[in-house]
């Protein structure tokens, strides 16, 4: 393939120059629109699939397909922020409607069980664009020191590093081979029912607890699997899930100690990346609040950041100050949303409960609402604040070796 050729979704060789040719779905849609006829069922989906398949850019080994969900944040975010900086009322309307549109798109994709890069691209591009506006509009005013710019840059780099770690394997359970599923199902179902067949059965149960991070050693009273909590069989992945594992309907995989599927990283949050997820959120909060404070100190000199956020008389005196003030409010809205997510996560860790377990407890009416409903205590794994945090900090680490005397 040359740089402008590609193999389309039908397996045919195609060229970028012919991106508008031989599109029966689009031609039929235009004909029906001109003749005021209704489209047949599924026509819009077929047109969208065709457009998404032909949206490509030239590359060395062939044209590379561009994910459609990456385009709106890259194009619309700068446009909306620049329009919002023209007048106070425009800024109020746009900054109010943006969260509504994002929430609507979230519920739309979540209801359709679709994975999308929209939220990840929106978050990353927002970070990059806010940093660009800070360097171009705020730093040249002379009120920001070089050390403060370095501190803000380091916070941004640390957050991206933690985000990169959170994007890795959350703890997917390996899917057995097709020819091994029946034999595994039979043997594993026996172990689920449990047998008191001597040392082998006891060591197997101990190793299963260790795989889930439930091994003893981080505190005197461990948050190990309580009585009555058993493994279960996943009919979709055709495997036995350890305790606290769950199946993600968006990823189509079972994850160890599944917390939730986060659209902002386009991945699940599980046993292996939960710590990195919390770290990324923490670095984002610190960096964002620090950047907002520096910007407000610059464009609203002499006022405290909280007062300047709501009352800054000279914010719209020039376009540069208006754009900076608009970006500050955009960052404040995003920071408030992420701060709420971080608060819920910290409370869940303190009670040793995952988001998935909290939803199941609410559905089955088996949990207690605490702190005004911010956290749902299931009571299954809660062993106290220190032990709960010790259990969380030990997630993903190799369990300590247990001697034969301890097992016996």
């Amino acid at each position: 393939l040359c740089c402008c050729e590609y193999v389309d979704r039908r397996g045919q060789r195609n060229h970028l120059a012919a991106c508008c040719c031989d599109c029966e779905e689009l031609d039929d849609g235009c004909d029906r629109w001109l003749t005021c006829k209704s489209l047949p069922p599924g026509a819009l989906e077929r047109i969208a699939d065709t457009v998404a398949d032909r949206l490509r850019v030239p590359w060395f080994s062939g044209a590379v397909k561009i994910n459609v969900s990456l385009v709106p944040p890259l194009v619309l975010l700068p446009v909306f922020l620049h329009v919002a900086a023209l007048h106070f009322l425009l800024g109020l309307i746009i900054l109010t409607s943006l969260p509504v549109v994002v929430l609507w798109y979230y519920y739309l994709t979540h209801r359709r069980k679709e994975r999308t890069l929209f939220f990840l691209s929106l978050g990353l591009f927002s970070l990059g664009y806010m940093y660009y506006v800070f360097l171009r509009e705020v730093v040249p005013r002379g009120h920001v020191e070089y050390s403060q710019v370095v501190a803000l840059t380091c916070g941004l780099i640390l957050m991206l590093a933690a985000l990169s770690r959170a994007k890795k394997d959350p703890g997917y359970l390996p899917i057995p081979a097709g020819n091994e599923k029946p034999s595994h199902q039979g043997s594993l179902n026996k172990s689920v029912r449990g047998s008191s067949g001597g040392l082998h059965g006891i060591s197997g149960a101990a190793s299963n607890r260790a795989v889930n991070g439930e091994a003893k050693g981080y505190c005197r009273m461990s948050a190990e699997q309580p009585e009555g909590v058993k493994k279960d069989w996943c009919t979709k992945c055709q495997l036995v899930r350890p305790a606290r594992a769950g199946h993600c309907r968006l990823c189509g995989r079972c994850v160890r100690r599944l917390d939730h599927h986060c659209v902002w990283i386009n991945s699940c949050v599980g046993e292996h990346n939960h710590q990195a997820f919390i770290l990324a959120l923490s670095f984002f909060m610190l960096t964002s609040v620090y950047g907002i404070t520096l910007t407000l100190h610059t464009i609203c000199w002499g006022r405290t950041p909280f007062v300047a956020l709501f009352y800054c008389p000279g914010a719209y005196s020039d376009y540069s100050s208006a754009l900076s003030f608009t970006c500050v409010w955009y960052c404040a809205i995003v920071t408030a949303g992420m701060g709420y997510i971080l608060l819920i996560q910290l409370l869940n860790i303190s009670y040793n409960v995952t988001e998935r377990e909290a939803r199941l407890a609410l559905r089955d009416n088996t949990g207690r609402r605490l702190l005004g409903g911010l956290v749902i205590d299931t009571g299954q794994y809660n062993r106290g604040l220190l032990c709960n945090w010790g259990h969380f900090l030990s997630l993903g680490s190799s369990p300590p070796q247990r001697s034969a005397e301890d097992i016996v």
Side-chain angles (χ1 to χ4, degrees):
L1 297 178
C2 74
C3 62
C4 294
E5 290 182 322
Y6 63 94
V7 178
D8 60 15
R9 60 193 177 104
R10 297 176 180 176
Q12 300 176 356
R13 191 165 178 167
N14 215 325
H15 197 279
L16 288 179
C19 62
C20 296
C21 302
D22 299 328
C23 185
E24 292 83 2
E25 295 86 356
L26 186 58
D27 292 340
D28 182 66
C30 292
D31 291 339
R32 288 177 174 272
W33 177 70
L34 292 175
T35 56
C36 299
K37 295 181 180 179
S38 60
L39 292 175
L44 291 178
E45 288 77 4
R46 291 193 297 269
I47 294 175
D49 292 340
T50 302
V51 172
D53 183 57
R54 298 187 180 190
L55 187 62
R56 298 172 181 264
V57 293
W59 200 247
F60 299 104
S61 58
V64 178
K65 185 178 178 180
I66 299 177
N67 196 308
V68 181
S69 59
L70 296 174
V71 179
L74 302 180
V75 177
L76 297 180
L77 181 62
V79 173
F80 284 160
L81 291 179
H82 279 276
V83 172
L86 295 176
H87 195 271
F88 170 75
L89 293 179
L90 288 175
L92 182 62
I93 295 173
I94 291 177
L95 292 176
T96 304
S97 60
L98 274 179
V100 177
V101 174
V102 171
L103 287 175
W104 170 80
Y105 187 73
Y106 166 75
Y107 285 114
L108 180 65
T109 55
H110 196 71
R111 182 168 54 89
R112 294 181 178 178
K113 302 179 183 179
E114 297 176 353
R115 295 189 67 181
T116 175
L117 292 174
F118 173 83
F119 299 97
L120 178 61
S121 61
L122 176 62
L124 292 178
F125 185 69
S126 298
L127 288 173
Y129 192 72
M130 296 302 106
Y131 186 69
Y132 167 77
V133 171
F134 178 79
L135 294 180
R136 179 168 180 172
E137 305 294 343
V138 179
V139 174
R141 295 174 179 264
H143 297 290
V144 180
E145 299 179 359
Y146 177 76
S147 59
Q148 294 174 326
V149 177
V150 172
L152 186 68
T153 305
C154 291
L156 186 62
I157 294 175
L158 291 174
M159 191 220 57
L160 292 176
L163 181 63
S164 176
R165 174 64 186 85
K167 282 285 297 175
K168 295 182 179 179
D169 179 19
Y172 291 123
L173 291 174
I175 299 178
N179 55 355
E180 297 178 357
K181 287 179 183 178
S183 60
H184 277 305
Q185 181 175 0
S187 61
L188 289 174
N189 279 336
K190 292 180 181 179
S191 64
V192 172
R193 290 189 295 268
S195 62
S196 57
L199 181 61
H200 177 72
I202 301 175
S203 61
S207 62
N208 287 330
R209 285 196 299 268
V211 168
N212 278 291
E214 305 287 350
K216 297 181 180 180
Y218 57 85
C219 66
R220 186 175 297 274
M221 182 181 294
S222 65
E224 62 182 6
Q225 177 178 322
E227 293 293 334
V229 178
K230 296 182 179 180
K231 304 176 182 180
D232 59 333
W233 174 259
C234 179
T235 57
K236 295 183 179 180
C237 294
Q238 294 294 297
L239 52 81
V240 172
R241 295 185 297 206
R244 310 192 75 176
H247 183 87
C248 177
R249 62 179 186 175
L250 299 180
C251 296
R253 297 284 299 275
C254 285
V255 183
R256 297 183 186 278
R257 197 184 178 275
L258 175 63
D259 190 84
H260 69 288
H261 182 93
C262 181
V263 296
W264 294 105
I265 64 174
N266 194 32
S267 177
C268 290
V269 177
E271 182 178 283
H272 291 173
N273 67 340
H274 202 170
Q275 297 174 355
F277 178 73
I278 296 297
L279 199 61
L281 282 177
S282 302
F283 279 129
F284 171 80
M285 291 296 299
L286 295 175
T287 305
S288 180
V289 171
Y290 188 59
I292 290 174
T293 303
L294 292 178
T295 305
L296 289 178
H297 273 309
T298 301
I299 62 178
C300 298
W301 185 257
R303 299 180 184 273
T304 60
F306 183 78
V307 174
L309 187 62
F310 294 94
Y311 182 70
C312 186
Y316 286 86
S317 59
D318 59 279
Y319 188 76
S320 176
S321 300
L323 180 61
S324 301
F325 189 72
T326 303
C327 291
V328 162
W329 259 105
Y330 175 74
C331 289
I333 295 173
V334 176
T335 304
M338 295 300 171
Y340 176 78
I341 295 176
L342 179 60
L343 175 62
I344 297 300
Q345 286 290 314
L346 295 179
L347 290 176
N348 286 343
I349 294 171
S350 300
Y351 286 89
N352 199 3
V353 63
T354 63
E355 281 290 323
R356 175 177 175 271
E357 293 168 350
R359 289 194 298 266
L360 294 177
L362 285 177
R363 185 194 66 184
D364 301 334
N365 197 21
T366 57
R368 295 185 305 152
R369 291 179 177 268
L370 301 175
L371 302 177
L374 290 177
V375 64
I376 307 299
D377 183 17
T378 61
Q380 289 182 313
Y381 302 98
N382 188 3
R383 297 296 182 269
L385 180 64
L386 295 180
C387 289
N388 292 339
W389 273 96
H391 169 67
F392 173 75
L393 295 176
S394 65
L395 289 178
S397 60
S398 57
Q401 297 294 332
R402 304 182 65 176
S403 62
E405 295 179 356
D406 295 333
I407 296 176
V408 173

